[in-house]
Amino acid sequence: MNSKDIAKLAGVSRSTVSRVINNYDNVPEETKRKVLEIIKKYNYVPHASARMLAGKRNKIIGVFLYDAKAEAQTEHKKVFASAYFNNFTSAIIDTAKEHGYNVLAVMIENSKDWKNAKEIFYNKTIDGGIFIGIKNNDPNIKEIIEAGFKVALVDQDTKSADEAFSKSIIINADNFTAAYKTVKYLVNKGHTKIAHITGDMSLLSAIERLEGYKKALIDSGILIKNSFIVRGFFTVESGYKAAKKLLLKEKPTAIFIGNDSMALGAIQAIQELGLKIPDDISIIGFDDIEIAKYITPSLTTNRIPIYDMAYIATTNLINSIEENSSFSASYLIPVEFIERNSCRSL
Amino acid sequence: MNSKDIAKLAGVSRSTVSRVINNYDNVPEETKRKVLEIIKKYNYVPHASARMLAGKRNKIIGVFLYDAKAEAQTEHKKVFASAYFNNFTSAIIDTAKEHGYNVLAVMIENSKDWKNAKEIFYNKTIDGGIFIGIKNNDPNIKEIIEAGFKVALVDQDTKSADEAFSKSIIINADNFTAAYKTVKYLVNKGHTKIAHITGDMSLLSAIERLEGYKKALIDSGILIKNSFIVRGFFTVESGYKAAKKLLLKEKPTAIFIGNDSMALGAIQAIQELGLKIPDDISIIGFDDIEIAKYITPSLTTNRIPIYDMAYIATTNLINSIEENSSFSASYLIPVEFIERNSCRSL
DNA sequence: CTGAAAGCGCTTACAG
DNA sequence: CTGAAAGCGCTTACAG
């Protein structure tokens, strides 16, 4: 069953069938009704590829998730990693749906995946894409932007030296300010020995959180100690290791941890060392993943408005696709401090 | 840049370019090399829709998630619900990738979404689809199967009266046995007042868990009390409400809870009533979501091998697509009992 | 308001 | 081993 069949059945030409399908206004009601009836009767749906080839849009956007964790993990667990990314994806699917778009979800773990990612842009499978958690200023993204494809980026530097990046839609959480406030909060509680477990430092969010941490210490007249800054990778495991490393030497009284997953690992390490939270050590995380409020003590953290960020990324991208405008935009989204029970005053 | 341009540049016909692209073996090495060089040089990628229209496959499968929770939730949170589904999706994406397939992720919440779901089958956007968490024997799936599309179903009755369903690829966790063992475990610990909070009873998994619960009680010579069976919907909130309702009357000493999310809600309710787990009441969940091992006390539960189930669904579906065979298959996957600290012996 | 025809960019018998 | 041509199923100027 194709448009020709429908045309014959309805006693019109394929042109008219097409006009009805695309809801053009130069079709009389009666004709429209007749055609629609046949379409319905035969359950006809126009072939997406044919429409595409003839100049319509696919109405598919891609969401590309680079999960740094993936590389480190063992085979059968590699994609389970991040609640953070899952929530982004859900929110994007939800928003896209409202605009009549579907979402192709792609995990990027290696160069072969990058090849696939580029291919679905070049072969026109998708009308645009959203990249989340990609290495800051990744050259692969640059190539895609420069090839003229529509792209929205979450967690990318807007002040990039590279013009390509500043020509796109960029959405960031205000990680710097949130980190700054987090450390100030600890300082106000009397802490001076404040450590930081960083996230994956190839990501902008990790960089900004570290910067916020440093700036707050400086502004508080506290010396930055390199031994108090330990590198993590946003994974539970890396949080565990970082905390162990941190607590071997001179103990901090508080740790600002780059995200909640690492906080989970850190908590385990802290418990193994026989220390109590918050009595012996205060901790604060980032993200506000679902677990955060259920653990004991509940975790003080920073909530990223994932839905809002995904919403902005998706609507902007789709607007850009529909208007065929290559506008650039940059959003800095405030982060909410969530005070729970993992910190004490000294 | 299209195949015609490439042909001209390489000094061959479009036919030959196509043969090279599709890796047919009747092309001499030298010709192949030459064409490939031009393709690479100009970054040429064949237009997916054109290939599709000319008879190739899209290499896209759909994953359809029906999240019952969605309906109940407030606007901006509706898609954040389930770690369970997210993990399925990730595992499917991962497996599909190994076969060169991409994944279109679709959330189904209402009839409009079903319309969209059917459309992407009918308009040939996807080569097949995996349905997860769909109402048992949902007529929408039936329609899709009967229209001849390739489909894999997770959590659907294989003994369905409806032939359509038994003609597909079906993967289920062995919910009945797991539920049975769970209750037996509690009985062995001396419990006789064992309650059950069901899941969404339109889903096969919820039905089977209830059945397993009942059978274990019967086999243990314990009377089934209707007041000990309270209906939930797999959500945290419904677990909370169900537990509250349950604990108003004659208190059970143990609750088998339909999944871990509801257990989270139940824990909150139990705490609000001033009861201790496991001292006053033992609980067991289902799924083994990430949170389960981090809460206090850690939650005894049943682990569903999501990755394995997703792997089986995906490989079977893709095989069925590639071989264009409409074989049916049915898998019953064992569930692992995870003993932690939320139960005590009487 | 409507139809005939060209064209989108491929693949694939077909013929040589 | 290779090319010319038909065809996949649409949309859209174009002409009327």
Side-chain angles (χ1 to χ4, degrees):
Chain A
M1 181 89 347
N2 58 28
S3 73
K4 207 166 163 184
D5 300 325
I6 298 295
K8 195 174 300 168
L9 256 13
V12 297
S13 72
R14 282 149 77 217
S15 314
T16 297
V17 171
S18 179
R19 285 183 190 109
V20 170
I21 286 167
N22 292 297
N23 208 18
Y24 291 163
D25 51 12
N26 53 356
V27 183
E29 273 312 315
E30 173 54 17
T31 310
K32 187 182 286 187
R33 202 196 46 68
K34 193 173 58 185
V35 173
L36 248 19
E37 187 184 308
I38 301 289
I39 287 177
K40 180 142 204 180
K41 181 171 174 189
Y42 290 89
N43 236 320
Y44 166 69
V45 180
H47 195 296
S49 293
R51 302 190 78 186
M52 179 70 181
L53 199 55
K56 290 294 189 186
R57 258 176 234 113
N58 245 348
K59 296 216 160 199
I60 299 179
I61 59 173
V63 41
F64 300 87
L65 309 168
Y66 179 77
D67 199 344
K69 295 153 186 130
E71 296 177 36
Q73 306 222 344
T74 50
E75 188 181 352
H76 266 204
K77 303 177 69 182
K78 58 185 169 191
V79 286
F80 289 79
S82 174
Y84 174 83
F85 291 133
N86 283 330
N87 286 343
F88 256 114
T89 309
S90 313
I92 289 169
I93 292 174
D94 195 49
T95 306
K97 195 162 72 177
E98 281 163 23
H99 294 264
Y101 279 68
N102 280 303
V103 173
L104 199 72
V106 181
M107 316 273 313
I108 298 188
E109 293 168 54
N110 52 44
S111 61
K112 193 177 149 204
D113 296 336
W114 269 115
K115 184 158 178 283
N116 172 53
K118 286 177 202 166
E119 255 174 31
I120 62 179
F121 275 101
Y122 281 97
N123 77 15
K124 306 280 194 277
T125 293
I126 55 179
D127 300 322
I130 300 176
F131 290 85
I132 299 167
I134 307 289
K135 234 172 37 178
N136 204 28
N137 291 334
D138 192 303
N140 288 297
I141 298 191
K142 186 187 166 192
E143 180 188 329
I144 291 168
I145 296 172
E146 283 179 342
F149 297 112
K150 312 287 186 192
V151 153
L153 309 171
V154 174
D155 204 9
Q156 284 284 326
D157 200 346
T158 50
K159 308 173 291 291
S160 169
D162 210 312
E163 206 200 343
F165 286 92
S166 55
K167 275 192 315 192
S168 9
I169 300 157
I170 300 191
I171 299 95
N172 286 312
D174 191 353
N175 293 295
F176 177 86
T177 303
Y180 185 91
K181 284 185 184 166
T182 295
V183 173
K184 275 290 191 183
Y185 169 86
L186 289 168
V187 170
N188 286 338
K189 280 187 169 299
H191 294 272
T192 53
K193 295 163 137 187
I194 303 170
H196 178 46
I197 298 176
T198 76
D200 179 342
M201 289 298 287
S202 64
L203 302 188
L204 179 67
S205 47
I207 297 170
E208 294 281 303
R209 286 170 203 176
L210 174 59
E211 289 308 315
Y213 161 82
K214 285 182 174 172
K215 184 71 162 47
L217 287 185
I218 292 170
D219 287 2
S220 308
I222 299 172
L223 211 64
I224 296 170
K225 289 185 57 169
N226 281 334
S227 63
F228 271 3
I229 300 175
V230 180
R231 183 162 177 170
F233 296 92
F234 282 141
T235 62
V236 175
E237 180 70 14
S238 73
Y240 174 86
K241 284 185 187 157
K244 276 276 165 94
K245 190 172 166 192
L246 199 54
L247 298 170
L248 279 179
K249 320 177 196 173
E250 186 199 359
K251 286 188 184 44
T253 59
I255 313 177
F256 165 42
I257 305 172
N259 77 353
D260 292 350
S261 290
M262 292 195 296
L264 256 22
I267 288 168
Q268 203 176 326
I270 290 167
Q271 283 171 348
E272 284 178 20
L273 292 168
L275 301 173
K276 285 240 179 286
I277 302 168
D279 303 349
D280 301 315
I281 192 156
S282 295
I283 63 172
I284 301 184
F286 219 106
D287 282 355
D288 193 29
I289 61 179
E290 197 191 5
I291 306 186
K293 64 170 172 288
Y294 290 113
I295 56 177
T296 313
S298 57
L299 183 64
T300 294
T301 189
N302 292 276
R303 180 181 298 160
I304 295 186
I306 292 185
Y307 196 99
D308 297 339
M309 291 177 69
Y311 180 86
I312 292 170
T314 309
T315 48
N316 271 280
L317 177 65
I318 291 176
N319 282 343
S320 156
I321 290 168
E322 308 249 292
E323 294 164 17
N324 201 22
S325 68
S326 66
F327 68 89
S328 59
S330 143
Y331 297 84
L332 191 64
I333 313 294
V335 172
E336 186 185 357
F337 188 72
I338 307 288
E339 185 170 26
R340 295 205 182 91
N341 305 308
S342 60
C343 297
R344 75 156 186 140
S345 295
L346 290 189
Chain B
M1 182 88 348
N2 58 29
S3 73
K4 207 166 163 185
D5 299 325
I6 298 295
K8 195 174 300 169
L9 257 11
V12 296
S13 70
R14 283 149 76 215
S15 314
T16 298
V17 171
S18 179
R19 286 182 190 108
V20 170
I21 286 167
N22 292 297
N23 208 18
Y24 291 162
D25 50 13
N26 54 356
V27 183
E29 272 313 315
E30 173 55 17
T31 310
K32 187 182 285 188
R33 203 197 46 68
K34 194 173 57 185
V35 174
L36 249 18
E37 188 184 307
I38 301 290
I39 286 176
K40 180 143 203 177
K41 181 171 172 189
Y42 291 90
N43 236 320
Y44 166 70
V45 179
H47 195 296
S49 293
R51 302 191 78 185
M52 179 70 182
L53 198 55
K56 291 293 189 186
R57 256 175 236 116
N58 245 347
K59 297 217 161 199
I60 299 179
I61 59 173
V63 41
F64 301 87
L65 309 168
Y66 180 77
D67 200 344
K69 295 153 186 130
E71 297 175 36
Q73 307 222 345
T74 50
E75 188 180 352
H76 266 204
K77 304 177 68 181
K78 59 185 168 189
V79 286
F80 288 80
S82 174
Y84 174 82
F85 291 133
N86 283 329
N87 287 343
F88 256 114
T89 310
S90 312
I92 289 168
I93 292 174
D94 195 49
T95 306
K97 194 162 73 176
E98 281 164 23
H99 294 265
Y101 279 67
N102 281 304
V103 174
L104 200 72
V106 182
M107 316 274 312
I108 299 187
E109 293 168 55
N110 52 44
S111 60
K112 193 177 149 205
D113 295 335
W114 269 116
K115 186 158 176 282
N116 172 54
K118 286 179 203 166
E119 255 174 32
I120 63 179
F121 275 101
Y122 282 99
N123 76 16
K124 306 282 194 274
T125 293
I126 56 178
D127 300 322
I130 300 175
F131 290 85
I132 300 167
I134 307 288
K135 234 172 37 178
N136 204 29
N137 291 334
D138 191 304
N140 289 296
I141 299 191
K142 186 185 166 193
E143 181 189 329
I144 291 168
I145 296 172
E146 284 179 342
F149 296 112
K150 312 288 186 192
V151 154
L153 309 172
V154 174
D155 203 12
Q156 282 285 326
D157 199 345
T158 51
K159 309 174 289 291
S160 168
D162 210 311
E163 206 199 344
F165 286 92
S166 55
K167 275 193 315 193
S168 9
I169 300 157
I170 300 192
I171 299 96
N172 286 313
D174 192 353
N175 293 294
F176 177 86
T177 304
Y180 185 91
K181 284 186 184 167
T182 295
V183 173
K184 276 290 191 182
Y185 169 87
L186 289 168
V187 170
N188 287 339
K189 280 188 168 299
H191 293 272
T192 52
K193 293 162 138 186
I194 303 171
H196 178 47
I197 298 176
T198 77
D200 179 342
M201 289 298 287
S202 64
L203 302 187
L204 178 66
S205 47
I207 297 169
E208 294 281 302
R209 287 170 202 174
L210 174 59
E211 289 308 314
Y213 161 84
K214 285 182 174 172
K215 184 70 162 48
L217 287 186
I218 292 170
D219 288 2
S220 307
I222 299 172
L223 211 65
I224 296 170
K225 288 184 57 169
N226 281 333
S227 64
F228 272 3
I229 301 175
V230 180
R231 183 160 179 173
F233 297 92
F234 282 141
T235 61
V236 175
E237 179 70 14
S238 73
Y240 174 86
K241 284 185 188 158
K244 275 275 166 95
K245 190 171 167 193
L246 200 53
L247 298 169
L248 278 179
K249 319 176 196 172
E250 187 198 0
K251 286 189 183 42
T253 60
I255 313 177
F256 165 41
I257 305 172
N259 77 353
D260 292 350
S261 289
M262 291 195 296
L264 255 22
I267 289 168
Q268 202 177 327
I270 290 167
Q271 284 171 347
E272 284 179 18
L273 292 168
L275 301 172
K276 283 241 179 284
I277 303 168
D279 304 349
D280 301 315
I281 193 157
S282 296
I283 63 171
I284 300 185
F286 218 106
D287 281 354
D288 193 28
I289 60 178
E290 197 191 5
I291 307 187
K293 65 169 171 290
Y294 289 112
I295 55 177
T296 313
S298 58
L299 182 66
T300 294
T301 188
N302 292 277
R303 179 180 299 160
I304 295 184
I306 292 185
Y307 195 100
D308 297 339
M309 291 177 70
Y311 179 87
I312 292 171
T314 310
T315 49
N316 271 280
L317 177 65
I318 291 176
N319 282 344
S320 155
I321 290 167
E322 307 248 292
E323 295 164 15
N324 200 21
S325 68
S326 65
F327 67 89
S328 59
S330 141
Y331 298 83
L332 191 63
I333 313 294
V335 172
E336 186 185 356
F337 188 71
I338 308 287
E339 186 171 26
R340 295 205 182 92
N341 305 308
S342 60
C343 297
R344 76 157 188 138
S345 295
L346 289 189

